[in-house]
């Protein structure tokens, strides 16, 4: 069985663009933390065809700049316009996924002025310790999904895991 598109292609891929987008009428944010199941949730939302194509569009460490480059954005306002144009579903729904630190960027960069009255979907993982172990393993191996090759062997690091537990709890409290 082939991997679903949301897993096998990067979120910047044109395959997630809507050929006939609608005018944005509803905006939502999937409020999340790393390794909580938010990528799976967003993939399932995209597959409905009714909820846009939510992804980490404001992850300034990775996806934002790759997406901005793909849509040839020349400024933040141009990026926002092109993002909404390509990722709003035909029914007018546009969504994004944000971890707490992405949302802080969105707030301080003024992104939220462009998206008044968002709807919120908060997802969190019940077992924060398992979430922290999963994140540490992904960070150590550079393998964030099953399609990526492991770059390094993971090693047990109590301090790193403990730090991630604290970070996940803080992010969940901030949401």
């Amino acid at each position: 069985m082939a991997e679903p598109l949301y897993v096998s292609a990067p979120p910047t891929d044109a395959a997630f663009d809507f050929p006939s987008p609608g005018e944005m009428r509803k905006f939502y944010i999937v409020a999340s933390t790393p390794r909580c199941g938010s990528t799976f949730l967003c993939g399932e939302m995209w597959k409905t065809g009714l909820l846009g194509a939510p992804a980490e569009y404001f992850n300034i460490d990775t996806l934002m700049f790759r997406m901005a480059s793909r849509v040839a954005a020349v400024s933040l306002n141009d990026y926002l316009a092109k993002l909404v144009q390509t990722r709003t579903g035909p029914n007018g729904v546009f969504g994004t996924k944000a971890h707490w630190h992405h949302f802080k960027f969105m707030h301080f960069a003024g992104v939220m002025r462009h998206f008044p009255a968002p709807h919120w979907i908060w997802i969190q993982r019940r077992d924060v310790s398992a979430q922290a172990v999963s994140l540490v393993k992904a960070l150590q191996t550079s393998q964030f999904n099953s399609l990526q090759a492991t770059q390094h062997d993971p090693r047990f690091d109590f301090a790193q895991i403990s730090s991630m537990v604290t970070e996940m709890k803080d992010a969940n409290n901030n949401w």
Side-chain angles (χ1 to χ4, degrees), residues 2-59:
E3 288 285 341
L5 179 61
Y6 219 82
V7 174
S8 62
T12 54
D13 196 290
F16 298 109
D17 294 350
F18 288 94
S20 302
E23 181 180 337
M24 186 182 69
R25 293 184 288 113
K26 286 191 179 185
F27 168 66
Y28 67 89
I29 298 174
V30 175
S32 62
T33 53
R35 313 304 289 179
C36 71
S38 57
T39 299
F40 176 76
L41 173 64
C42 289
E44 295 300 301
M45 293 170 80
W46 173 76
K47 285 189 324 188
T48 69
L50 301 172
L51 298 167
E56 294 176 20
Y57 298 122
F58 303 100
N59 179 340

Side-chain angles (χ1 to χ4, degrees), residues 2-169:
E3 288 285 341
L5 179 61
Y6 219 82
V7 174
S8 62
T12 54
D13 196 290
F16 298 109
D17 294 350
F18 288 94
S20 302
E23 181 180 337
M24 186 182 69
R25 293 184 288 113
K26 286 191 179 185
F27 168 66
Y28 67 89
I29 298 174
V30 175
S32 62
T33 53
R35 313 304 289 179
C36 71
S38 57
T39 299
F40 176 76
L41 173 64
C42 289
E44 295 300 301
M45 293 170 80
W46 173 76
K47 285 189 324 188
T48 69
L50 301 172
L51 298 167
E56 294 176 20
Y57 298 122
F58 303 100
N59 179 340
I60 59 173
D61 296 320
T62 55
L63 195 141
M64 183 176 173
F65 293 107
R66 287 191 296 240
M67 187 69 179
S69 177
R70 187 178 76 73
V71 298
V74 295
S75 68
L76 180 58
N77 285 340
D78 189 39
Y79 175 66
L80 295 173
K82 289 177 176 178
L83 187 61
V84 168
Q85 179 185 13
T86 58
R87 296 299 173 96
T88 298
N91 62 350
V93 177
F94 173 76
T96 191
K97 175 177 112 171
H99 299 322
W100 179 248
H101 59 285
H102 305 154
F103 180 72
K104 287 193 306 187
F105 164 76
M106 292 169 70
H107 174 74
F108 290 117
V111 170
M112 295 307 295
R113 287 192 310 259
H114 298 271
F115 301 109
H119 297 270
W120 295 90
I121 300 167
W122 181 32
I123 180 173
Q124 71 180 81
R125 190 165 169 175
R126 286 188 185 123
D127 188 342
V128 177
S129 295
Q131 180 180 8
V133 168
S134 176
L135 179 57
V136 167
K137 183 179 175 185
L139 291 169
Q140 289 180 358
T141 63
S142 299
Q143 182 184 31
F144 288 85
N145 67 50
S146 61
L147 299 176
Q148 294 174 321
T150 300
Q151 301 296 315
H152 310 282
D153 289 332
R155 65 192 190 305
F156 179 78
D157 185 332
F158 180 81
Q160 189 178 20
I161 294 167
S162 179
S163 174
M164 288 300 144
V165 166
T166 300
E167 191 174 311
M168 295 303 113
K169 287 180 178 180

